[in-house]
């Protein structure tokens, strides 16, 4: 719920997110047509991993077939936020199991 509220309150991205969002866009919109991927033409100043964007795109793929433009951007940001919430919840559970709840 918090991720969805944040998404509605701040629908646009920060500069720090732009590379990964562009990579998600390229995989979701262009698929295996690697020549069409923008991040190959504009790789940025710092080499980056593509693994996170690929994993995000895999989760977003089913709905990406019907969404375009800003809706696709919001979908990708919702997937990233949801993965983050699940990862933090799992981390909290492991810590609580190991050291107990205080």
């Amino acid at each position: 719920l918090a991720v969805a509220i944040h998404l509605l309150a701040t629908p646009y991205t920060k500069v720090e997110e732009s590379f990964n969002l562009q990579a998600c866009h390229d995989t979701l919109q262009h698929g295996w047509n690697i020549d069409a991927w923008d991040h190959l033409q504009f790789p940025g100043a710092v080499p980056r991993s593509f693994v996170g964007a690929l994993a995000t795109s895999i989760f977003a793929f089913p709905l990406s077939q019907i969404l375009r433009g800003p809706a696709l951007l919001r979908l990708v940001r919702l997937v990233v936020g949801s993965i983050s919430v699940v990862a933090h919840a799992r981390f909290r559970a492991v810590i609580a199991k190991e050291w107990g709840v205080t």
Side-chain angles (χ1 to χ4, degrees):
L1 181 60
V3 173
I5 291 170
H6 177 73
L7 186 62
L8 293 173
T10 57
Y12 301 106
T13 62
K14 302 181 301 181
V15 159
E16 293 84 357
E17 296 174 299
S18 64
F19 179 83
N20 282 320
L21 286 173
Q22 186 61 46
C24 288
H25 170 270
D26 288 347
T27 58
L28 293 170
Q29 294 296 306
H30 302 300
W32 292 106
N33 183 10
I34 296 173
D35 292 333
W37 290 7
D38 285 342
H39 77 275
L40 292 176
Q41 185 176 0
F42 306 104
V46 178
R48 295 172 176 98
S49 171
F50 191 71
V51 175
L54 185 59
T56 302
S57 296
I58 290 169
F59 284 107
F61 179 76
L63 287 177
S64 73
Q65 301 307 298
I66 57 173
L67 299 175
R68 296 288 182 254
L72 182 59
L73 169 69
R74 290 183 188 99
L75 170 66
V76 168
R77 291 184 70 214
L78 182 64
V79 168
V80 169
S82 299
I83 291 171
S84 179
V85 167
V86 169
H88 280 92
R90 178 73 179 126
F91 182 68
R92 182 185 177 280
V94 169
I95 295 297
K97 182 179 177 184
E98 185 69 26
W99 287 299
V101 179
T102 59

